[in-house]
Amino acid sequence: MKRWRLPAAPEATLSAGVVGDVLAGVGTPHLAASYLAAMQRVMPVTFCTVFAVGASGRIETVSAASSYGSTAERTAERYVAQRFDLLDPNMAWLAARKLPRRAQLWLGHQLGDEVANPAYRAACYGDVGIRERASVLLLLPTGQRVAVSFYRSLAQPEFGAGDFAVIERHATLLADATTAHGRSAVAAREATAPALASRLLTLSLREREVIGHLMAGRTAKEAAREIGVELTTVRTHQYRAFRRLGIRSQKELLRGWPGSSVPP
């Protein structure tokens, strides 16, 4: 397990495609999917997760995506439900650091075999065929800590010096985009009826994804096609989400939450 500070450096010249993919996810339920698509343009990776924890220790942002199905989303749900953030070496390390005067960026590398807790190791590595992760770590003066992680499966080559250089070149872009995403989520919550806003935090990742599509004006059938699941599955998540939100229709949802996206 290694971490190293990223020094302040002149802005890197990045491809328009990568920048466009990263920014496309800001303020949407598809942040990690956008990051994954961006980085797959420049290196092989199979998973992406974005976790942000506030100064109070509350998980504020969760987004996950994988190259195959909803594996990453299910893994992220287990991460949140079982509070693996408290065992996550990156998050624990950031939490223990003295708050900086200016935002700090770090790069971290961890092998699955280096995770001490067997339940955490199984859920986030062994059970899903992941060998290692490389992470952009951000610590803000306000106490917020962020980890944007890219994962490689057992079938992919190990991260090497060239890969770390690629991630380092994109680290500032990823950190800035994630910070902007957090600000957009806060702004959206402030514009929402307080009761609905608090209930949104109780939804599962899949329920939030379905709600995000419905709030974008899509039908349940269109949402199923976008997500890649059966219509009955979307209907089930929609029913559960509506029940938790205390609403009965898509029209009520749109009235209660202005705009086209939900907090991740």
Side-chain angles (χ1 to χ4, degrees):
M1 192 180 311
K2 297 180 293 185
R3 299 182 194 90
W4 57 98
R5 177 80 180 273
L6 297 182
E11 242 181 74
T13 301
L14 306 177
S15 77
V18 169
V19 174
D21 280 345
V22 167
L23 297 183
V26 175
T28 79
H30 313 295
L31 187 68
S34 296
Y35 288 3
L36 183 62
M39 294 308 290
Q40 285 179 333
R41 290 176 178 266
V42 292
M43 63 189 297
V45 285
T46 191
F47 271 33
C48 174
T49 60
V50 184
F51 294 110
V53 177
S56 66
R58 185 174 70 87
I59 297 177
E60 296 180 340
T61 297
V62 180
S63 186
S66 70
S67 299
Y68 40 90
S70 57
T71 307
E73 291 91 334
R74 291 196 301 272
T75 301
E77 285 183 10
R78 292 178 67 182
Y79 182 100
V80 173
Q82 299 182 43
R83 290 307 306 264
F84 286 144
D85 59 294
L86 302 176
L87 301 172
D88 186 331
N90 283 337
M91 286 303 183
W93 181 78
L94 287 172
R97 294 191 61 78
K98 181 181 178 181
L99 293 183
R101 292 185 177 181
R102 297 180 180 178
Q104 291 183 351
L105 268 181
W106 302 75
L107 201 59
H109 177 229
Q110 177 179 291
L111 299 173
D113 291 344
E114 294 173 328
V115 176
N117 183 273
Y120 175 31
R121 184 173 63 248
C124 297
Y125 291 88
D127 291 353
V128 288
I130 292 296
R131 179 182 57 240
E132 58 184 325
R133 71 175 175 182
S135 306
V136 174
L137 306 175
L138 173 65
L139 181 61
L140 296 174
T142 55
Q144 291 171 309
R145 50 194 192 274
V146 174
V148 179
S149 299
F150 298 98
Y151 301 76
R152 281 190 171 168
S153 69
L154 297 171
Q156 292 177 314
E158 295 182 4
F159 284 113
D163 299 307
F164 296 132
V166 169
I167 297 174
E168 180 174 343
R169 194 161 62 246
H170 294 83
T172 298
L173 171 65
L174 293 165
D176 288 348
T178 306
T179 301
H181 181 80
R183 286 196 298 267
S184 72
V186 169
R189 283 197 293 271
E190 290 175 348
T192 306
L196 179 57
S198 62
R199 288 195 292 268
L200 278 169
L201 299 176
T202 69
L203 302 184
S204 70
L205 289 174
R206 182 60 86 189
E207 288 165 354
R208 294 184 201 183
E209 185 174 15
V210 169
I211 290 297
H213 284 291
L214 296 180
M215 292 175 64
R218 298 186 181 93
T219 64
K221 185 175 182 180
E222 290 169 336
R225 185 167 59 247
E226 287 287 331
I227 298 171
V229 298
E230 295 293 330
L231 176 59
T232 53
T233 301
V234 166
R235 290 290 192 196
T236 298
H237 289 304
Q238 177 183 336
Y239 170 75
R240 290 174 179 169
F242 279 9
R243 185 176 59 186
R244 291 180 183 180
L245 295 174
I247 59 177
R248 292 173 294 177
S249 68
Q250 188 171 357
K251 189 175 295 185
E252 286 185 54
L253 175 69
L254 295 173
R255 280 202 304 265
W257 188 284
S260 59
S261 65
V262 297

